[in-house]
Amino acid sequence: MALHDSILRVVLHEGEGARALSGAECFSAVQALLEKGFPVSRPRTTGTPNHDGKTPVLVAGAFTKSRTTTAGGDEEVAIDESGSGSLLQAAETARARAGSPEPGAWLPWFPVIDYDRCTNCMQCLSFCLFGVYGVDGAGRIQAQQQDNCKTHCPACSRVCPEAAIMFPKYKAGPINGDVVSDSDLQREKMKIDISALLGGDVYSLLRDRSERARSRFGKERDADKALSERQKCLTKLGEIVADLPPEVLASLPSPIQIARKAEEARARAAAAMKGN
Amino acid sequence: MTQPPPRILYCHCRYAQVVPPSVKDAVLRQLCEAGVAFEAVPDLCELSARRDPEMARLAAAGTVKIAACFPRAVKWLFASADMPLDPATTEVINMRTGSADDLVPSLLSTEMHPNLPAGKTEPTAAATATEPELASTPGNTAPPAS
Ligand code: SF4
Ligand code: SF4
């Protein structure tokens, strides 16, 4: 997926050559467009809509004369009594023509770092198995591959000792961006301690479980048992890393891959720390 | 000289149910009925991840009122897209925690109540940890190769 393409924007034109929209017309057009993933501007100015030239634009309005392009060359579509169907169709066509990304192809779930809190400790980078985190040229932690993040998985926010990782679409605070209270912070720190008590970290827990499963598998040659052991091991991870969704657990790599990925992530974190 | 009214940005939080649909629809409806200029985006989170140039246009708008979710989240969504908001001229209206009747008057008022969390404005000011701190944190315990 090319995350960095601009999404086509629809501009409601109520200036020259078009009448003002009623509240109801505006609401029905804007809501329909937003639901289909189009940003909308209602500038309420009299001239032709201005834009940055980087974002593809479709101009929509209740035009008094029929035209297909504005003076600035932007494509136009009429808003009329026939409902939002023709508007949406025109927007879809313009989007396809502009090569603008389709909405809904990716659910925007990813970590957002609060740099007022972040201490650049790199725990998140070490922890994440999916390569979401990286460092910038100055060695600062960044969420770089947002679309690698596993939808609804807030696990890295649980390992951050500073409660600096937000998932704005998460259900509860402070992960959703609500203010961080002292008790939240204590709880976040406690979680790290609990994980330490359990044997260092979740990766080593997974590895130990996996080794036990392998040795049993060697003796018993029982593939079902090995599988159930792996499932138990993943369930345990789910207990430690609170509210890890089952679909994320199911898509986790094997314990061996986890060990390798964790090693790679740790090496990247150490290299980033050296560079600081 | 009179100040231009604050720009209004409405986030529809398209891909999640975290903003109650009844609140966001009522806010949008009243915004349309008020006949004011506004920008509406399906999902600010998505624009941020895409580093969409729209974010720059919105961040550079001067005084701006943003109807979305928690101010801390909105602040860092813009900042992480390299388009930081000016804390002195930004007010975030949190649709996750209020009713439309409470929120719309603030959104439409020309009076500003800036409320982004104080602190840094950009990731570039991130603090750096020392190496021993990295080594001592349990999350960094590397498993030996299997
Ligand atoms: S774990 Fe938290 S404090 Fe540490 S680098 Fe990641 S976001 Fe920053
Ligand atoms: S900024 Fe907040 S309200 Fe907007 S899409 Fe993201 S989580 Fe939803």
Side-chain angles (χ1 to χ4, degrees):
Chain A
M1 178 182 53
L3 250 195
H4 292 187
D5 293 332
S6 290
I7 302 174
L8 178 109
R9 176 165 63 105
V10 177
V11 178
L12 301 184
H13 180 57
E14 296 169 284
E16 204 187 311
R19 66 170 171 77
L21 298 173
S22 70
E25 283 174 322
C26 171
F27 175 72
S28 109
V30 176
Q31 196 198 37
L33 289 163
L34 291 173
E35 283 295 320
K36 289 287 176 195
F38 295 99
V40 186
S41 298
R42 189 188 196 189
R44 305 242 63 189
T45 48
T46 49
T48 34
N50 68 329
H51 55 85
D52 57 15
K54 292 183 201 147
T55 308
V57 158
L58 173 72
V59 177
F63 298 109
T64 46
K65 282 187 241 144
S66 116
R67 329 180 285 190
T68 52
T69 55
T70 62
D74 292 314
E75 210 176 317
E76 282 188 355
V77 58
I79 294 177
D80 53 34
E81 281 91 53
S82 62
S84 43
S86 55
L87 172 62
L88 290 180
Q89 202 173 11
E92 293 291 1
T93 307
R95 166 163 46 213
R97 196 173 305 133
S100 186
E102 272 195 43
W106 172 60
L107 198 148
W109 172 274
F110 58 92
V112 178
I113 299 173
D114 176 345
Y115 289 90
D116 285 334
R117 311 194 62 86
C118 175
T119 58
N120 218 30
C121 71
M122 303 288 164
Q123 285 215 51
C124 47
L125 192 153
S126 307
F127 177 82
C128 176
L129 294 168
F130 303 103
V132 172
Y133 292 94
V135 289
D136 66 10
R140 280 172 298 258
I141 190 75
Q142 272 186 332
Q144 285 180 342
Q145 302 293 330
Q146 285 98 331
D147 48 337
N148 276 3
C149 189
K150 295 287 166 194
T151 304
H152 302 311
C153 172
C156 57
S157 68
R158 300 289 186 186
V159 302
C160 173
E162 307 298 334
I165 299 177
M166 296 174 278
F167 286 86
K169 290 177 165 60
Y170 188 69
K171 56 183 185 288
I175 295 174
N176 61 13
D178 202 352
V179 285
V180 182
S181 66
D182 286 347
S183 61
D184 288 328
L185 202 52
Q186 282 317 311
R187 210 168 42 235
E188 297 308 314
K189 287 194 191 298
M190 281 255 297
K191 278 197 182 109
I192 297 297
D193 293 346
I194 289 166
S195 132
L197 281 174
L198 282 169
D201 67 357
V202 287
Y203 301 133
S204 51
L205 187 85
L206 277 173
R207 195 193 59 250
D208 292 349
R209 286 275 190 147
S210 148
E211 273 163 10
R212 278 207 297 278
R214 259 204 308 276
S215 77
R216 210 173 302 155
F217 178 72
K219 278 180 217 141
E220 298 171 8
R221 301 241 168 245
D222 182 346
D224 286 347
K225 210 152 200 169
L227 185 65
S228 99
E229 188 61 30
R230 181 170 174 227
Q231 272 158 353
K232 257 193 247 159
C233 150
L234 295 176
T235 308
K236 189 71 192 166
L237 175 65
E239 285 164 13
I240 294 165
V241 183
D243 61 19
L244 208 60
E247 58 272 26
V248 172
L249 282 175
S251 66
L252 275 176
S254 71
I256 294 165
Q257 288 168 316
I258 286 175
R260 186 170 41 78
K261 285 189 172 209
E263 174 60 33
E264 284 165 9
R266 194 203 62 83
R268 278 197 295 144
M273 294 303 293
K274 271 215 182 82
N276 279 331
Chain B
M1 206 175 75
T2 53
Q3 290 282 330
R7 301 272 299 265
I8 295 174
L9 169 61
Y10 164 88
C11 175
H12 196 57
C13 203
R14 164 74 179 81
Y15 302 107
Q17 296 295 319
V18 294
V19 173
S22 59
V23 174
K24 61 183 186 184
D25 285 355
V27 169
L28 180 60
R29 187 181 292 280
Q30 292 184 50
L31 208 48
C32 288
E33 280 164 1
V36 293
F38 64 87
E39 304 283 341
V41 296
D43 197 288
L44 257 185
C45 288
E46 183 183 22
L47 290 190
S48 167
R50 290 187 185 282
R51 290 177 168 73
D52 196 295
E54 281 297 290
M55 298 280 285
R57 208 170 57 83
L58 300 167
T63 52
V64 62
K65 297 206 181 203
I66 303 175
C69 56
F70 292 99
R72 190 165 73 97
V74 173
K75 169 179 172 171
W76 291 111
L77 278 168
F78 274 85
S80 60
D82 295 327
M83 299 161 195
L85 292 162
D86 180 350
T89 59
T90 306
E91 178 177 348
V92 177
I93 312 282
N94 186 351
M95 294 192 292
R96 284 184 81 154
T97 58
S99 73
D101 289 346
D102 293 339
L103 302 173
V104 171
S106 314
L107 190 59
L108 296 177
S109 160
T110 53
E111 229 173 84
M112 285 294 293
H113 297 284
N115 62 350
L116 285 190
K120 299 158 196 155
T121 52
E122 293 181 64
T124 46
T128 50
T130 56
E131 187 132 17
E133 199 178 326
L134 173 74
S136 67
T137 45
N140 288 310
T141 314
S146 307

